[in-house]
Amino acid sequence: MKIKTQLLLSAAAALSVALACAVLVVLALQRTRAADAEQAQAQATAREVAGLLVLTQEYARERAPGAAQQWWQRQASIAQRLSSDDGDRTREALRDAAKTLPAVFTRLTELGQEPATPLTPRRQDFLVDRLLADTQSLADGAYRWSREAAADQARAEQQLHALGLSALAAMLLLLTALMLLVWRRVLRPLRILHTATSALESGDLSARIGSQARDELGSVARRFDAMAEALQQREDELRREAALRTASEERIRAITDNAPALISQFDSSGRCVFANPYCGVVLGCDHRELIGKTVLEVRGRSAEEQLQPWIARVLAGERVSFESSGVIRGVQRHLQQNYVPDLGPDGSVRGFHSISFDITERKVAEVATAASEQRLKMITDNLPVLISYIDDQLMLRFANGTFREWMGVEPAGMIGRHLPEVIGHELYAQRAPYFVRALAGERVSFEVESNAMDVSRSLQNTYIPDLRPDGTVAGVYTLSTDVTAMKLVERHLDQLTRVDPLTGLVNRREFEERLPAAMARARRARRPMAVMFLDVDRFKQINDSLGHATGDEVLKTFAQRLLRAVRETDTVARLAGDEFVILLEGLNTVDEPQFVARKLLAAIAPPFDIEGHVLEVSSSIGVALYEGREATPAGLVAQADRALYAAKAAGRNTFRLAPRDAAG
């Protein structure tokens, strides 16, 4: 419980007890006063009743009117004293007893005024005795009332005394409890807090209170402990920071002493206040000799024009970086210099720091590299190869001079531009898949056809990924070689391997490649096709009688007539000697090959005029129909060959169809 709350509750309890004691004391005092008043009333009533008894006796003896009047006055005073209706039984009994006296006394006084009779004295004595007895009884009751009132008054005084002592004791106990409460909850925690505070002031940061109380001083104690803990932690941090700062200074000193750089510091007048050992190594002196000298004194007047503008700028508060060169110790040296202003707390420039690197070797290497690059550029510009470099964002970074010769574009104008912008979106779309593969780390080779400056070229392209040390791709080297001449030779050689050199028709090799594809198309399209096998009737006689030259002319004429008799989409091939095949695709009906066969026979029928020789030439034709059933290309040709021999057996110059079930 909080101290404020506990103190308020204790004060409220003390006030309640004090009020209760006060109320009880007031009530006891009122009772005592009431008892005193009651006693006084009883004593006065007893005296009055005693006086009434005396007046009754006196009237009984003398029957004096004055005594009767006094009796009535005394009786009225007694009745007045007993008239209060407060519920007291004693007073009520006395009041009832007092009420009987006036009637008896009245009868007694009336009897004295009546004529005397022999019984008058006796009756008077009886009334007197009765009045005296009643008065005596009233006197006895008044006496008892007086004693009871005295006893009540004594008890009230005793109770008042006891209650006063009890109230005093209760107040003393309550005061003692409050003092203990204040000591336990306030004074003792304050003493502990004061002791801990004094210890903390003396530098003992380990001082703690450790209070678990949930009151205000407990909260103050916990805050004190937290503050002391924070101070302890801060002191520990400061110690660690000091240790780290010392270690850092030592490391910095070790770095500056061993760094291959000229590290120095200058004040606002430009004089050196610190220089590391490497400064002495480069400048050819002990670095301690540089202290107090200016930059110009160290580097000489020859460097004044180079350095003075930079010194002025850094002393104006600007960070500057620049290169300088000069002869130092007889050697031409190049320095990369960095001046940083040394700012004070108020922002004023107190001087500057200088960090310089000897870049002489780098400069020499740059000159050598530039010469090497120039030689390499000269070589690449004169190679008959398109060479370029594209980064991973598809930006062109290098292009050799061959682009100018082949493509009609200036290489310098291509650098830094996006590749699709340079070669056009159509050409880029053609090459994009290969760039994706190369940028994924794959070496790619492919061929494309290029048309530029009215020259058509076949280009062999090679994309080589430029891999970084971590394995990622930085860009792609591209090499494009003109293989047009080689392609022409390849196409010519391919044509020689697929075309009959005598007739110009497709040869056996090409036919054997086309037939399976034609059969597959027929199956997919569900349209029939046919293979026609032909030869020249009695061709051996022509060769034997007229010679092979005439025979060759007959074969060439025969081939031309076959080509003219079929569609452009049909294939006419010479297998060997006088054997020819025709491949008919996309037939509308199964009867269509018969019409083509008759057309072929009609085309061959006109006489052949060969070098003055008019020859009658005919042909026999075998036809194999294919409708998509299971069959092999060799089987289909064999069926047509058998049908050819059937045509020859039928007398030549005709055609025969292979059975449909056999041909498929």
Side-chain angles (χ1 to χ4, degrees), residues 600-615:
L600 289 171
L601 292 175
I604 297 170
F608 284 44
D609 186 359
I610 307 298
E611 297 179 354
H613 299 285
V614 178
L615 303 176

Side-chain angles (χ1 to χ4, degrees), residues 367-387:
V367 172
T369 300
S372 177
E373 289 179 352
Q374 182 64 30
R375 288 192 297 270
L376 183 60
K377 187 175 185 305
M378 181 68 69
I379 293 171
T380 57
D381 284 348
N382 290 277
L383 284 175
V385 179
L386 293 176
I387 302 173

Side-chain angles (χ1 to χ4, degrees), residues 13 19 27 77 172 176 189 275 296 307 309 343 511 526 564 592 597 645:
L19 289 175
L27 292 176
S77 176
L172 288 175
T176 302
L296 301 180
L307 303 181
L343 301 178
F511 172 76
R526 296 183 180 180
R564 289 194 296 268
E592 195 171 344
Y645 281 100

Side-chain angles (χ1 to χ4, degrees), residues 113-183:
Q113 295 175 1
E114 293 178 355
T117 64
L119 295 177
T120 297
R122 185 179 291 279
R123 292 173 62 184
Q124 287 180 341
D125 291 339
F126 173 76
L127 291 173
V128 169
D129 290 340
R130 181 179 176 185
L131 184 61
L132 288 174
D134 290 344
T135 303
Q136 186 62 49
S137 177
L138 181 61
D140 292 342
Y143 177 70
R144 285 194 302 274
W145 182 24
S146 175
R147 284 190 305 166
E148 290 176 358
D152 288 342
Q153 191 261 348
R155 284 195 297 272
E157 287 182 352
Q158 290 177 356
Q159 289 179 355
L160 178 62
H161 181 69
L163 187 60
L165 291 176
S166 298
L168 180 61
M171 294 302 295
L172 288 175
L173 287 175
L174 187 60
L175 181 61
T176 302
L178 286 174
M179 290 176 65
L180 289 175
L181 175 65
V182 171
W183 164 252

Side-chain angles (χ1 to χ4, degrees), residues 306-531:
Q306 293 186 64
L307 303 181
Q308 189 59 49
W310 303 107
I311 294 174
R313 289 173 61 179
V314 72
L315 290 177
E318 180 183 354
R319 297 171 64 107
V320 294
S321 296
F322 60 95
E323 292 184 6
S324 67
S325 60
V327 178
I328 301 176
R329 297 173 61 190
V331 178
Q332 180 69 32
R333 290 190 178 275
H334 301 272
L335 299 178
Q336 172 64 50
Q337 300 196 242
N338 301 273
Y339 289 172
V340 181
D342 179 18
L343 301 178
D346 58 351
S348 62
V349 179
R350 300 181 300 191
F352 65 94
H353 304 280
S354 173
I355 302 175
S356 303
F357 300 94
D358 187 354
I359 59 172
T360 303
E361 293 182 1
R362 191 187 78 186
K363 281 292 185 180
V364 172
E366 286 178 355
V367 172
T369 300
S372 177
E373 289 179 352
Q374 182 64 30
R375 288 192 297 270
L376 183 60
K377 187 175 185 305
M378 181 68 69
I379 293 171
T380 57
D381 284 348
N382 290 277
L383 284 175
V385 179
L386 293 176
I387 302 173
S388 64
Y389 180 79
I390 295 94
D391 66 16
D392 56 355
Q393 302 300 316
L394 296 179
M395 302 296 289
L396 194 65
R397 298 304 179 187
F398 172 78
N400 69 340
T402 309
F403 277 88
R404 184 187 306 107
E405 179 183 348
W406 287 9
M407 310 296 291
V409 293
E410 189 62 38
M414 300 165 59
I415 305 304
R417 295 171 61 189
H418 204 229
L419 183 61
E421 177 187 354
V422 174
I423 66 175
H425 291 281
E426 183 177 352
L427 289 179
Y428 174 71
Q430 184 185 33
R431 292 162 171 77
Y434 304 105
F435 273 110
V436 171
R437 291 166 58 186
L439 289 173
E442 179 184 354
R443 182 187 177 105
V444 183
S445 294
F446 62 97
E447 294 181 3
V448 294
E449 296 296 326
S450 173
N451 289 285
M453 299 178 67
D454 297 328
V455 177
S456 178
R457 288 185 174 88
S458 294
L459 299 179
Q460 172 66 41
N461 299 288
T462 301
Y463 290 174
I464 304 170
D466 177 21
L467 298 177
R468 298 187 181 96
D470 61 357
T472 58
V473 178
V476 177
Y477 297 100
T478 73
L479 294 91
S480 300
T481 306
D482 187 354
V483 294
T484 306
M486 184 175 65
K487 281 296 176 182
L488 290 175
V489 172
E490 286 180 356
R491 283 195 287 269
H492 181 65
L493 292 175
D494 185 69
Q495 184 177 9
L496 290 177
T497 60
R498 296 178 180 275
V499 176
D500 177 50
L502 177 64
T503 63
L505 297 179
V506 172
N507 64 7
R508 178 187 292 274
R509 176 185 174 187
E510 180 68 13
F511 172 76
E512 289 177 349
E513 289 184 2
R514 293 188 183 185
L515 179 57
M519 294 175 68
R521 287 192 292 271
R523 284 194 298 270
R524 288 196 300 270
R526 296 183 180 180
R527 295 180 66 180
M529 61 164 285
V531 174

Side-chain angles (χ1 to χ4, degrees), residues 144-324:
R144 285 194 302 274
W145 182 24
S146 175
R147 284 190 305 166
E148 290 176 358
D152 288 342
Q153 191 261 348
R155 284 195 297 272
E157 287 182 352
Q158 290 177 356
Q159 289 179 355
L160 178 62
H161 181 69
L163 187 60
L165 291 176
S166 298
L168 180 61
M171 294 302 295
L172 288 175
L173 287 175
L174 187 60
L175 181 61
T176 302
L178 286 174
M179 290 176 65
L180 289 175
L181 175 65
V182 171
W183 164 252
R184 179 175 175 275
R185 299 300 301 278
V186 179
L187 297 180
R188 186 174 65 178
L190 285 175
R191 181 177 59 81
I192 295 172
L193 182 61
H194 175 72
T195 302
T197 304
S198 300
L200 192 65
E201 289 177 346
S202 64
D204 182 10
L205 298 181
S206 64
R208 302 288 187 276
I209 298 175
S211 175
Q212 301 298 322
R214 300 298 179 183
D215 53 23
E216 293 88 342
L217 289 176
S219 177
V220 172
R222 285 189 292 275
R223 291 180 181 177
F224 175 86
D225 290 347
M227 180 186 68
E229 183 67 26
L231 289 174
Q232 182 69 54
Q233 292 178 357
R234 182 55 182 164
E235 184 181 33
D236 294 341
E237 290 177 0
L238 290 175
R239 289 198 184 106
R240 287 194 296 270
E241 289 176 0
L244 291 174
R245 189 180 299 109
T246 301
S248 177
E249 290 175 354
E250 292 176 355
R251 285 194 299 271
I252 292 173
R253 171 66 67 176
I255 291 171
T256 57
D257 287 350
N258 295 280
L262 293 84
I263 302 175
S264 55
Q265 182 180 3
F266 296 84
D267 61 19
S268 58
S269 63
R271 297 193 174 275
C272 181
V273 296
F274 169 79
N276 71 335
Y278 193 73
C279 291
V281 173
V282 174
L283 298 174
C285 62
D286 189 328
H287 66 283
R288 288 169 291 193
E289 297 176 2
L290 302 175
I291 305 302
K293 294 183 178 180
T294 66
V295 176
L296 301 180
E297 291 173 348
V298 172
R299 293 285 301 275
R301 290 296 174 184
S302 60
E304 181 175 2
E305 293 183 359
Q306 293 186 64
L307 303 181
Q308 189 59 49
W310 303 107
I311 294 174
R313 289 173 61 179
V314 72
L315 290 177
E318 180 183 354
R319 297 171 64 107
V320 294
S321 296
F322 60 95
E323 292 184 6
S324 67

